[in-house]
Amino acid sequence: MTRVPDPAIALLERDGSATVRDLLVAIREAGGHGVSRAALERALAADPRVEPDAEADKPRWQLTDGAGADGAGGRGSEVDGEPDASPRATADEVAQDAEHARDATRLRVTELDLRPWQVRALAAWSTTCRGVVEAVTGTGKTRLALAAVRSVVDAGGRALVLVPTLELLEQWVREVRSLLPDVTVGRLGGGGDDDLFACQVLIATPHSASSVPVDLPPRTVGLLVADEAHRYGAPTWGAALGEEFSLRLALTATYERGDEGIADVLEPYFGPVVYRYRYAEAAADGTIAPFRIALAGVRLTPGEAAAHAAADTRVRQLHRELIGPLGMPREPAALFAAAA
């Protein structure tokens, strides 16, 4: 399909502009149930009768001057027979505008008040815009990721953030609204069905992102952020890692698994660990509060003591079976990995 179907053109003639979702609904209501969103997006990009609505707050499409269901449409270099006299930007003006945009982005990233470790981690990731950041819990991985999101959105891109739970989904939505108040954020999962055409940042669970493919608007750069990234080494979760997202950032406190998920899935997709922020460094920086661990003994009731003894006996029996007849390693970490 290289031309936008007539039902979508008719909708644009009637309403002036419409989102991709609105156009797809119009096509399917007219009987075009076999038209996919991806096919429609390709047609919108290729059909000279339509163009993006540059003045809309959200991504929308409109007809070009003179286009219609029966006309070829398209833009010309003349209007009413007169040459287009609109001024052209010089190369110096374009470069100056780009530098102003970069300065504005740097200012907005600075407003996030990043800690020194976050600045270093962001710089390490920015060299390739791919990689894993491993940082101890509570040190601010979310704010680091939002600095990357800020830069991508300011450049006209979109960001998909994958989170493992609905609680984290809501937490991320609140963080985006608090720290990036001018950025539109949506949900995919937990009853939300937003997409990256209607919003700049989409927070999604891996189940929803794999069952409802997340598409990018045509010619748009995409950033994928995976929170608790070590979980995405499993096949069911890894299905949410879309190849169309060329910028990739993985966040984790413990980048390890008991299987080959890191080598088989995570490293090929995200790349290597580009920055580590361990507990000792975070404690020395005062990023996290110091703590001490103490063991406190308690007396068990007769029933609790019997249940504990039975469980302990069973565990010891299973351990002997694993390292005996099954021949698994005795060392705990190696035994766990082998059993997994």
Side-chain angles (χ1 to χ4, degrees):
M1 181 174 67
T2 59
R3 287 170 61 87
V4 176
D6 286 346
I9 296 296
L11 176 64
L12 295 177
E13 288 181 322
R14 187 190 71 194
D15 294 349
S17 68
T19 65
V20 175
R21 178 178 294 185
D22 293 337
L23 297 172
L24 193 59
V25 169
I27 293 168
R28 290 177 176 173
E29 286 180 347
H33 299 291
V35 176
S36 68
R37 179 170 191 152
L40 176 58
E41 290 165 0
R42 288 192 295 268
L44 287 167
D47 195 329
R49 297 177 298 168
V50 296
E51 64 183 358
D53 184 352
E55 297 182 359
D57 294 334
K58 297 180 179 180
R60 302 177 71 88
W61 289 83
Q62 64 184 7
L63 294 175
T64 56
D65 291 341
D70 298 323
R75 285 192 225 179
S77 59
E78 298 183 357
V79 178
D80 295 332
E82 295 294 328
D84 182 4
S86 58
R88 305 290 183 180
T90 66
D92 288 342
E93 289 172 336
V94 171
Q96 190 176 43
D97 289 344
E99 184 59 32
H100 288 164
R102 286 192 292 269
D103 288 342
T105 295
R106 283 193 287 267
L107 177 61
R108 284 191 285 264
V109 170
T110 301
E111 289 171 350
L112 290 173
D113 195 21
L114 298 181
R115 296 187 174 108
W117 85 264
Q118 294 166 326
V119 173
R120 295 192 297 270
L122 183 62
W125 175 81
S126 297
T127 57
T128 61
C129 291
R130 291 193 182 190
V132 180
V133 173
E134 182 181 11
V136 66
T137 300
T139 52
K141 292 187 292 294
T142 300
R143 188 177 289 255
L144 161 67
L146 290 182
V149 169
R150 169 89 275 172
S151 297
V152 171
V153 169
D154 282 356
R158 298 287 189 271
L160 169 65
V161 180
L162 299 176
V163 296
T165 66
L166 293 177
E167 289 77 11
L168 277 174
L169 186 150
E170 294 302 327
Q171 177 181 317
W172 271 86
V173 169
R174 290 193 298 270
E175 288 293 310
V176 173
R177 288 176 173 169
S178 173
L179 297 175
L180 309 179
D182 59 321
V183 172
T184 56
V185 58
R187 300 175 177 82
L188 180 60
D193 63 348
D194 295 318
D195 57 38
L196 286 175
F197 290 78
C199 59
Q200 296 165 297
V201 179
L202 183 64
I203 318 297
T205 60
H207 174 75
S208 297
S210 58
S211 59
V212 181
V214 180
D215 298 321
L216 286 165
R219 301 178 297 279
T220 300
V221 174
L223 164 67
L224 186 143
V225 177
D227 195 10
E228 297 194 17
H230 55 280
R231 301 192 184 202
Y232 296 84
T236 52
W237 288 48
L241 304 176
E243 289 297 329
E244 61 272 29
F245 292 88
S246 58
L247 315 181
R248 302 164 185 178
L249 172 60
L251 307 173
T252 181
T254 53
Y255 195 46
E256 56 187 42
R257 292 179 58 89
D259 57 15
E260 300 302 315
I262 290 179
D264 292 347
V265 178
L266 300 180
E267 285 185 353
Y269 185 80
F270 289 105
V273 176
V274 295
Y275 195 86
R276 282 189 170 94
Y277 192 55
R278 301 189 185 278
Y279 170 77
E281 187 179 357
D285 292 344
T287 306
I288 58 176
F291 65 89
R292 297 190 334 189
I293 298 176
L295 300 178
V298 296
R299 293 185 179 277
L300 301 179
T301 65
E304 291 171 338
H308 181 276
D312 184 65
T313 300
R314 179 60 174 158
V315 168
R316 293 176 185 275
Q317 175 189 348
L318 293 173
H319 183 262
R320 287 194 297 271
E321 292 177 2
L322 286 173
I323 64 176
L326 295 180
M328 291 192 175
R330 183 181 297 273
E331 194 274 326
L335 172 59
F336 177 81

